[in-house]
Amino acid sequence: MKKFLNTLFVTQPDVYMGLDEENVSLQKEKQKLAKMPLHNLESIVAFGYTGASPALMGYCADKNISIVFMTMTGRYLARVVGESRGNVVLRKKQYRISDSNLESAMAARNFLIGKVYNNKWVIERTIRDHPMRINEEELKAVSDNLSNIILESFSKYPARTWTTIQESIQPHQVKLGKKVNDLNRLIECCFKDRY
């Protein structure tokens, strides 16, 4: 899962950005204005005709932190990004799937089931954490409805859907703990005769 970090906006004109150990250092007329650790940043957006040291650009490229240069009015000038790391075999498979309506629909269906499942657990957490602030009965009805949607999708293609969910859950089993066992019991109870 991608971790979303901060974006540093440099809006003052004539500010020079440099690298100071693992920090971005902002300087104006040889005076340090600010210093920010780069491990907290996802990107840097600089407005005006500021400069950036080659060391900073190289470090940011290595750490996949983009630097975007804009005019003071917000017109895009340039962007410095690191090396693109992609999986060619995966990309080819994705293109093949996108050419097939049936396979595309199956992939989309699995994404939607995952979103419905996540929404159900967000609602369940809200019921558990804030029972005094919400209409508990109404949210329980919504949660039950989401469970029914998930069960309907299982009933059409139970084995394939369960296999997809199991593969998705595998790396996160330690974090999910008891929820994985609950999900396994649900599948066994509801679909043991359909496999």
Side-chain angles (χ1 to χ4, degrees):
M1 181 184 301
K2 183 173 172 60
K3 184 177 179 183
F4 291 102
L5 301 171
N6 299 314
T7 299
L8 172 65
F9 291 94
V10 181
T11 56
Q12 292 185 16
D14 304 323
V15 172
Y16 184 75
M17 298 181 295
L19 183 67
D20 183 4
E21 295 176 6
E22 292 189 353
N23 303 303
V24 59
S25 172
L26 303 177
Q27 302 169 14
K28 186 172 186 177
E29 298 171 4
K30 308 257 181 190
Q31 181 184 357
K32 278 191 180 179
L33 299 176
K35 191 174 172 181
M36 180 174 246
L38 285 165
H39 70 270
N40 289 333
L41 297 177
E42 184 174 17
S43 62
I44 301 170
V45 179
F47 290 88
Y49 296 99
T50 61
S53 72
L56 176 67
M57 288 192 277
Y59 184 87
C60 288
D62 286 342
K63 300 295 181 184
N64 216 12
I65 301 169
S66 66
I67 303 176
V68 180
F69 295 97
M70 314 275 267
T71 65
M72 282 305 289
T73 57
R75 176 178 278 165
Y76 174 80
L77 292 173
R79 181 172 167 202
V80 178
V81 291
E83 180 183 336
S84 173
R85 295 174 184 88
N87 185 334
V88 176
V89 177
L90 174 64
R91 188 78 58 228
K92 283 179 160 180
K93 176 73 173 168
Q94 288 170 335
Y95 280 123
R96 276 196 295 272
I97 288 174
S98 72
D99 289 337
S100 166
N101 286 340
L102 180 62
E103 287 187 51
S104 295
M106 289 303 293
R109 181 180 143 272
N110 291 332
F111 295 143
L112 291 173
I113 288 171
K115 289 199 172 286
V116 170
Y117 181 79
N118 287 338
N119 283 321
K120 176 189 171 32
W121 285 107
V122 167
I123 290 169
E124 290 291 330
R125 188 178 324 119
T126 302
I127 292 169
R128 182 189 69 224
D129 294 346
H130 309 287
M132 302 297 279
R133 295 185 194 169
I134 58 165
N135 184 342
E136 202 170 334
E137 290 176 18
E138 212 173 282
L139 280 181
K140 282 191 188 247
V142 171
S143 177
D144 292 342
N145 188 30
L146 291 176
S147 295
N148 290 335
I149 290 170
I150 294 169
L151 291 175
E152 281 177 30
S153 65
F154 271 118
S155 65
K156 290 182 182 169
Y157 305 98
R160 186 168 182 175
T161 304
W162 177 233
T163 302
T164 304
I165 289 176
Q166 272 185 321
E167 289 169 359
S168 302
I169 288 175
Q170 196 74 31
H172 309 286
Q173 278 191 342
V174 173
K175 276 191 206 172
L176 290 173
K178 185 178 176 286
K179 288 181 187 175
V180 172
N181 295 333
D182 293 343
L183 196 55
N184 285 332
R185 278 197 299 268
L186 174 73
I187 298 306
E188 287 171 15
C189 291
C190 298
F191 302 109
K192 62 185 171 192
D193 57 331
R194 295 185 183 176
Y195 281 115

